[in-house]
Amino acid sequence: MDEKKKGLFSTMVISLCAVVFIAVAALILFVPKIEVKDICYFICGFVVVLGIYMIVRYFMSAGFERLNEYGFSEGVLLVLLGICGLVSAERIAMSFLTALGLLLLLSGVVKLQYALDLKCMGDQAWIGFFAVNVVLLGLSVSIILKPFEDMAFFQNYTAYILLVDGIVEIVNIFYLNYRTKTYRQGARKGQNEEETLEEVFEPRKEGMEGSVEPAGQEGTKEGRDGGGM
Protein backbone atom coordinates (compact mmCIF):
# COMPACT_ATOMS: atom_id res chain seq x y z
CA MET A 1 0.00 0.00 0.00
CA ASP A 2 2.89 2.34 0.77
CA GLU A 3 4.36 1.75 -2.69
CA LYS A 4 0.98 2.54 -4.24
CA LYS A 5 0.72 5.81 -2.31
CA LYS A 6 4.30 6.71 -3.22
CA GLY A 7 3.59 6.08 -6.90
CA LEU A 8 0.43 8.19 -6.70
CA PHE A 9 2.35 11.04 -5.07
CA SER A 10 5.04 10.94 -7.77
CA THR A 11 2.34 11.04 -10.43
CA MET A 12 0.73 14.05 -8.76
CA VAL A 13 4.04 15.92 -8.58
CA ILE A 14 4.83 15.28 -12.26
CA SER A 15 1.29 16.29 -13.22
CA LEU A 16 1.63 19.52 -11.26
CA CYS A 17 4.92 20.28 -13.01
CA ALA A 18 3.20 19.73 -16.36
CA VAL A 19 0.41 22.10 -15.33
CA VAL A 20 3.01 24.70 -14.33
CA PHE A 21 4.68 24.32 -17.75
CA ILE A 22 1.35 24.96 -19.46
CA ALA A 23 0.57 27.93 -17.19
CA VAL A 24 3.97 29.54 -17.79
CA ALA A 25 3.65 29.05 -21.55
CA ALA A 26 0.16 30.59 -21.49
CA LEU A 27 1.44 33.59 -19.53
CA ILE A 28 4.27 34.20 -21.98
CA LEU A 29 2.11 33.80 -25.08
CA PHE A 30 -1.19 35.40 -24.07
CA VAL A 31 -0.36 37.87 -21.28
CA PRO A 32 2.42 40.06 -22.69
CA LYS A 33 2.13 42.56 -19.82
CA ILE A 34 3.61 40.02 -17.40
CA GLU A 35 7.40 40.24 -17.18
CA VAL A 36 9.74 37.28 -17.03
CA LYS A 37 10.69 38.29 -13.50
CA ASP A 38 7.08 37.84 -12.39
CA ILE A 39 7.04 34.35 -13.89
CA CYS A 40 10.22 33.55 -11.96
CA TYR A 41 8.48 34.61 -8.76
CA PHE A 42 5.54 32.38 -9.66
CA ILE A 43 7.71 29.31 -10.29
CA CYS A 44 9.89 29.82 -7.22
CA GLY A 45 6.81 30.32 -5.06
CA PHE A 46 5.38 27.06 -6.39
CA VAL A 47 8.64 25.28 -5.52
CA VAL A 48 8.49 26.61 -1.94
CA VAL A 49 4.86 25.50 -1.53
CA LEU A 50 5.69 22.06 -2.92
CA GLY A 51 8.61 21.72 -0.52
CA ILE A 52 6.46 22.67 2.48
CA TYR A 53 3.84 20.14 1.38
CA MET A 54 6.47 17.38 1.18
CA ILE A 55 7.74 18.22 4.67
CA VAL A 56 4.23 18.18 6.16
CA ARG A 57 3.43 14.95 4.30
CA TYR A 58 6.54 13.31 5.74
CA PHE A 59 5.34 13.89 9.30
CA MET A 60 1.64 13.25 8.62
CA SER A 61 2.35 9.90 6.93
CA ALA A 62 4.97 8.81 9.53
CA GLY A 63 7.69 8.69 6.89
CA PHE A 64 10.33 7.87 9.52
CA GLU A 65 8.83 4.37 9.77
CA ARG A 66 9.78 3.53 6.17
CA LEU A 67 13.27 2.81 4.92
CA ASN A 68 14.68 5.07 2.18
CA GLU A 69 11.98 7.70 2.72
CA TYR A 70 13.55 11.10 1.98
CA GLY A 71 10.43 13.24 1.80
CA PHE A 72 11.68 15.58 4.54
CA SER A 73 15.11 16.10 2.94
CA GLU A 74 13.60 16.62 -0.50
CA GLY A 75 11.09 19.09 0.93
CA VAL A 76 13.79 21.10 2.70
CA LEU A 77 15.87 21.18 -0.49
CA LEU A 78 12.92 22.48 -2.52
CA VAL A 79 12.13 25.15 0.08
CA LEU A 80 15.75 26.36 0.09
CA LEU A 81 15.93 26.39 -3.71
CA GLY A 82 12.64 28.26 -3.92
CA ILE A 83 13.74 30.89 -1.39
CA CYS A 84 17.05 31.38 -3.20
CA GLY A 85 15.12 31.79 -6.44
CA LEU A 86 12.78 34.36 -4.91
CA VAL A 87 15.73 36.37 -3.60
CA SER A 88 17.60 36.32 -6.93
CA ALA A 89 14.61 36.36 -9.29
CA GLU A 90 15.98 39.31 -11.27
CA ARG A 91 19.24 37.51 -12.03
CA ILE A 92 17.38 34.30 -12.89
CA ALA A 93 15.19 36.25 -15.30
CA MET A 94 18.28 37.08 -17.38
CA SER A 95 18.83 33.37 -18.10
CA PHE A 96 15.20 32.33 -17.71
CA LEU A 97 14.81 30.76 -21.15
CA THR A 98 17.96 28.69 -20.67
CA ALA A 99 16.61 27.47 -17.33
CA LEU A 100 13.37 26.48 -19.07
CA GLY A 101 15.42 24.56 -21.64
CA LEU A 102 17.13 22.62 -18.86
CA LEU A 103 13.76 21.80 -17.28
CA LEU A 104 12.44 20.65 -20.65
CA LEU A 105 15.52 18.47 -21.10
CA LEU A 106 14.89 16.84 -17.72
CA SER A 107 11.22 16.35 -18.57
CA GLY A 108 12.13 14.75 -21.91
CA VAL A 109 14.48 12.25 -20.26
CA VAL A 110 11.72 11.24 -17.82
CA LYS A 111 9.26 10.76 -20.69
CA LEU A 112 11.76 8.52 -22.50
CA GLN A 113 11.52 6.15 -19.56
CA TYR A 114 7.73 6.20 -19.92
CA ALA A 115 8.12 5.04 -23.53
CA LEU A 116 10.47 2.23 -22.50
CA ASP A 117 8.03 1.17 -19.77
CA LEU A 118 5.33 0.84 -22.42
CA LYS A 119 7.70 -1.23 -24.58
CA CYS A 120 8.39 -3.60 -21.69
CA MET A 121 4.63 -4.08 -21.26
CA GLY A 122 4.29 -4.97 -24.94
CA ASP A 123 2.36 -1.83 -25.91
CA GLN A 124 2.85 -0.95 -29.58
CA ALA A 125 2.12 2.73 -28.86
CA TRP A 126 5.57 3.08 -27.28
CA ILE A 127 7.07 3.85 -30.68
CA GLY A 128 4.91 6.96 -31.11
CA PHE A 129 5.61 8.20 -27.59
CA PHE A 130 9.32 7.55 -28.06
CA ALA A 131 9.45 9.48 -31.34
CA VAL A 132 7.58 12.48 -29.92
CA ASN A 133 9.81 12.57 -26.84
CA VAL A 134 12.98 12.41 -28.95
CA VAL A 135 11.75 15.41 -30.96
CA LEU A 136 11.00 17.32 -27.74
CA LEU A 137 14.46 16.46 -26.42
CA GLY A 138 16.00 17.90 -29.56
CA LEU A 139 13.94 21.08 -29.23
CA SER A 140 14.93 21.48 -25.58
CA VAL A 141 18.58 21.21 -26.56
CA SER A 142 18.01 23.94 -29.17
CA ILE A 143 16.63 26.20 -26.43
CA ILE A 144 19.76 25.67 -24.32
CA LEU A 145 22.03 26.43 -27.28
CA LYS A 146 20.12 29.68 -28.09
CA PRO A 147 20.18 29.54 -31.91
CA PHE A 148 18.04 32.68 -32.41
CA GLU A 149 19.13 36.29 -32.15
CA ASP A 150 15.60 37.71 -32.07
CA MET A 151 14.69 37.47 -28.36
CA ALA A 152 10.96 37.98 -28.94
CA PHE A 153 10.86 35.09 -31.38
CA PHE A 154 13.08 32.98 -29.12
CA GLN A 155 10.77 33.60 -26.16
CA ASN A 156 7.65 32.59 -28.11
CA TYR A 157 9.50 29.59 -29.55
CA THR A 158 10.35 28.42 -26.02
CA ALA A 159 6.80 29.03 -24.81
CA TYR A 160 5.25 26.91 -27.58
CA ILE A 161 7.63 24.04 -26.84
CA LEU A 162 6.85 24.37 -23.15
CA LEU A 163 3.12 24.24 -23.89
CA VAL A 164 3.43 21.14 -26.09
CA ASP A 165 5.70 19.43 -23.57
CA GLY A 166 3.21 20.00 -20.74
CA ILE A 167 0.34 18.55 -22.78
CA VAL A 168 2.43 15.55 -23.87
CA GLU A 169 3.49 15.00 -20.26
CA ILE A 170 -0.13 14.78 -19.07
CA VAL A 171 -1.06 12.42 -21.93
CA ASN A 172 1.96 10.24 -21.09
CA ILE A 173 1.04 10.03 -17.42
CA PHE A 174 -2.61 9.12 -17.94
CA TYR A 175 -1.88 6.58 -20.66
CA LEU A 176 0.97 4.97 -18.73
CA ASN A 177 -1.18 4.67 -15.60
CA TYR A 178 -3.97 3.08 -17.65
CA ARG A 179 -1.63 0.59 -19.31
CA THR A 180 0.08 -0.25 -16.02
CA LYS A 181 -3.26 -1.11 -14.39
CA THR A 182 -4.30 -3.20 -17.41
CA TYR A 183 -0.95 -5.00 -17.43
CA ARG A 184 -1.13 -5.82 -13.72
CA GLN A 185 -4.71 -7.06 -14.02
CA GLY A 186 -3.69 -9.32 -16.90
CA ALA A 187 -0.73 -10.64 -14.92
CA ARG A 188 -2.95 -11.37 -11.89
CA LYS A 189 -5.54 -13.09 -14.10
CA GLY A 190 -2.89 -15.31 -15.66
CA GLN A 191 -1.50 -16.18 -12.24
CA ASN A 192 -4.96 -17.07 -10.92
CA GLU A 193 -5.62 -19.30 -13.96
CA GLU A 194 -2.34 -21.13 -13.39
CA GLU A 195 -3.19 -21.69 -9.73
CA THR A 196 -6.65 -22.99 -10.70
CA LEU A 197 -5.15 -25.44 -13.20
CA GLU A 198 -2.72 -26.69 -10.59
CA GLU A 199 -5.58 -27.22 -8.13
CA VAL A 200 -7.56 -29.17 -10.79
CA PHE A 201 -4.77 -31.49 -11.96
CA GLU A 202 -3.08 -32.23 -8.64
CA PRO A 203 -6.14 -34.01 -7.05
CA ARG A 204 -6.58 -36.09 -10.23
CA LYS A 205 -2.96 -37.12 -10.09
CA GLU A 206 -3.28 -38.09 -6.44
CA GLY A 207 -6.47 -40.08 -7.20
CA MET A 208 -4.77 -42.01 -9.99
CA GLU A 209 -1.83 -42.85 -7.77
CA GLY A 210 -4.17 -44.03 -4.99
CA SER A 211 -6.08 -46.38 -7.33
CA VAL A 212 -2.98 -48.45 -8.21
CA GLU A 213 -3.09 -51.76 -6.31
CA PRO A 214 0.02 -52.92 -4.48
CA ALA A 215 2.05 -55.67 -6.07
CA GLY A 216 1.25 -58.09 -3.26
CA GLN A 217 -2.49 -57.76 -3.78
CA GLU A 218 -2.15 -58.38 -7.52
CA GLY A 219 -0.24 -61.58 -6.82
CA THR A 220 -2.88 -62.74 -4.34
CA LYS A 221 -5.64 -62.15 -6.88
CA GLU A 222 -3.79 -64.14 -9.54
CA GLY A 223 -3.31 -66.94 -7.02
CA ARG A 224 -7.00 -67.04 -6.28
CA ASP A 225 -7.86 -67.14 -9.96
CA GLY A 226 -5.34 -69.93 -10.56
CA GLY A 227 -6.60 -71.95 -7.59
CA GLY A 228 -10.22 -71.73 -8.79
CA MET A 229 -9.24 -73.21 -12.12
Side-chain angles (χ1 to χ4, degrees):
M1 189 69 177
D2 291 336
E3 291 295 328
K4 185 177 180 180
K5 289 182 178 179
K6 189 174 181 179
L8 179 61
F9 175 72
S10 300
T11 301
M12 290 177 58
V13 171
I14 296 174
S15 300
L16 283 174
C17 292
V19 171
V20 171
F21 279 8
I22 294 173
V24 170
L27 289 174
I28 295 175
L29 293 172
F30 307 116
V31 189
K33 292 183 180 180
I34 294 181
E35 298 180 359
V36 173
K37 181 178 66 175
D38 299 326
I39 299 176
C40 292
Y41 281 125
F42 169 73
I43 294 176
C44 294
F46 170 78
V47 171
V48 171
V49 172
L50 180 61
I52 293 173
Y53 171 76
M54 293 181 67
I55 293 172
V56 173
R57 179 178 175 275
Y58 173 82
F59 290 106
M60 295 294 292
S61 61
F64 57 89
E65 297 179 355
R66 297 186 296 274
L67 188 64
N68 298 326
E69 175 61 46
Y70 302 106
F72 176 79
S73 301
E74 294 170 353
V76 171
L77 177 62
L78 289 177
V79 170
L80 292 176
L81 287 175
I83 292 174
C84 291
L86 290 172
V87 172
S88 57
E90 293 184 1
R91 282 183 292 176
I92 293 176
M94 297 174 62
S95 57
F96 178 69
L97 297 180
T98 303
L100 287 180
L102 292 173
L103 290 175
L104 286 169
L105 185 64
L106 176 62
S107 175
V109 172
V110 172
K111 288 195 290 294
L112 278 182
Q113 181 172 326
Y114 292 164
L116 292 178
D117 290 342
L118 291 174
K119 182 179 184 298
C120 292
M121 288 186 286
D123 193 322
Q124 297 298 322
W126 79 272
I127 300 175
F129 284 101
F130 184 82
V132 172
N133 292 330
V134 168
V135 172
L136 288 174
L137 273 175
L139 294 174
S140 64
V141 171
S142 70
I143 293 174
I144 297 172
L145 297 178
K146 294 183 179 180
F148 308 109
E149 296 182 359
D150 188 349
M151 287 304 298
F153 176 80
F154 183 41
Q155 182 171 304
N156 291 334
Y157 171 82
T158 304
Y160 279 116
I161 296 173
L162 198 66
L163 181 63
V164 172
D165 186 88
I167 295 172
V168 171
E169 184 80 48
I170 292 175
V171 173
N172 270 267
I173 291 171
F174 279 102
Y175 186 76
L176 182 62
N177 285 338
Y178 165 74
R179 286 295 294 122
T180 302
K181 290 179 181 178
T182 305
Y183 181 78
R184 288 176 178 173
Q185 289 174 357
R188 290 193 193 119
K189 185 178 179 181
Q191 185 177 1
N192 292 335
E193 289 178 354
E194 289 179 0
E195 292 176 354
T196 303
L197 290 174
E198 290 177 358
E199 292 175 357
V200 169
F201 284 106
E202 283 182 359
R204 289 183 180 178
K205 185 177 179 182
E206 292 176 359
M208 292 174 65
E209 292 176 352
S211 63
V212 176
E213 294 183 358
Q217 292 181 5
E218 290 180 357
T220 304
K221 183 177 180 181
E222 291 177 358
R224 288 198 301 268
D225 294 341
M229 291 178 66

